Amino acid sequence: MDEPVTSVADLAAQATHLSPVLGRYFERSWSHGIGHRLYDTAGTPYLDFANGIAVTALGHAHPRVTAAIHAQADRLIGPTGAIGYSEPVVTLARMLANTFPDPIDTVMFLNSGSEAIDGALKLARRVTGRPGIVAFRGGFHGRTFGATSVTTSNINYRTGYEPLLPGVYFAPFPAVYRDFGGDEAQATASCLRTLTSLFETVIAPSSVAAVVIEPVQGEGGYTPAPAAFLQGLRALCDEHGILLIADEVQTGYARTGRMWAFEHAGIVPDIVAVAKAIANGLPLAAIATRRELQERWGRGAHGSTYGGNPVACAAGIAVLDTIADEDLVANAARRGKELTAGLIRLQAEDDRIGDVRGPGLMVGVEFVHNGTSGEPDGDLATALVARSAELGLLVLSCGLAHQVVRWIAPLDVSSAEISEAIEIFGEALWTV
């Protein structure tokens, strides 16, 4: 066996057999994580406000999650879904279903967010008998074929793959800051009007199976949909018998200060796609609906070899237990207010910060060339991500021009860690 690599540069240099297709935010080599710190192979710690893009929501090597993984690995590792039942899978399904409002009560486990979106689209088409799918510009739903077909957050994700899934139509997302000068009412009215026009001129609503939306766009810029827009969308779907799919892959699991982001609008979707934080790092995802929909989907209409792996589900049980026992939904809301307040203080001192937005611990900071032009400045945001890492803080970028720095702090983050992160980011701002 080769000697372990201790140099940050050496490990990257040895990665010649890894595909160059995968994009990376950092050319660093990681060794281990403890709590909210990620360590590179040189032993340097970084305050991790990236969390594998909202995956390790309880931080690294969480004792409760790690103990559950070890205990289950000693009993049963292999998937059992196609041949019967195992206790952690059944238990997690019940626990996850109980986090949703009525009538959502039934869960199908899969492996990833992309797979959950693909399954949700298949479910919608099959049970409605309709071909059309409506998605929103700027949305990111994944990299598999169906998920790519409803994704428009970056043209590179679609280029060279056409023709994609047929019957997909796009409507404008109510990006309040970027497209409507901060006017939520105008954004809501305009985008609902355009969606209605789509039904009048392009595809009849009677031919639409589903509308899929992120309550807060992730990759597209950490842009929340106004509550009034989601309420209007729910009403429009009800009027025409269209299923509403909420992509909660990044927004779910307390991320926005509610267990599910759609709760901020007081609506209930028909289908919810879940992944990322569900097992704190192990691959797991789910589709959640009312039982009647999955009964109509039909036995054998969809499946997954690895979905609902017992070890991943044991981790998932520990995640939900920790969220409940430590009141992390409320913690995300409280710490999110502190984070937003600190970033707004920085905005008051730097007109390159055009907007600070997002609920809970899903906060985006949009950078512009100056406060009056509003022209997105992706180069600055990219430089700030790099400089913050040099100073010991991991944050990521997003948005069409990569002009938004996204903050994805752990759900159990402390006030002290919020203050530390803001101080580091402030130093990065002053030196870039």
Side-chain angles (χ1 to χ4, degrees), residues 282-375:
L282 294 188
L284 187 64
I287 299 170
T289 73
R290 62 184 185 272
R291 189 163 195 82
E292 172 261 342
L293 276 183
Q294 299 203 32
E295 288 174 342
R296 286 165 54 198
W297 200 1
R299 190 178 183 89
H302 195 52
S304 172
T305 298
Y306 290 102
N309 175 275
V311 178
C313 287
I317 292 168
V319 169
L320 285 181
D321 279 340
T322 301
I323 288 173
D325 293 348
E326 298 183 10
D327 200 15
L328 294 186
V329 177
N331 189 70
R334 287 192 296 267
R335 301 290 87 80
K337 289 178 180 177
E338 293 171 2
L339 175 59
T340 298
L343 292 169
I344 288 174
R345 287 194 298 271
L346 294 178
Q347 181 184 26
E349 301 171 358
D350 194 326
D351 68 358
R352 297 175 298 173
I353 299 179
D355 194 32
V356 176
R357 57 176 178 260
L361 291 172
M362 188 172 182
V363 179
V365 180
E366 179 150 352
F367 286 88
V368 296
H369 283 285
N370 62 65
T372 54
S373 77
E375 181 183 354

Side-chain angles (χ1 to χ4, degrees), residues 273-288:
V274 184
K276 286 195 181 290
I278 187 172
N280 207 54
L282 294 188
L284 187 64
I287 299 170

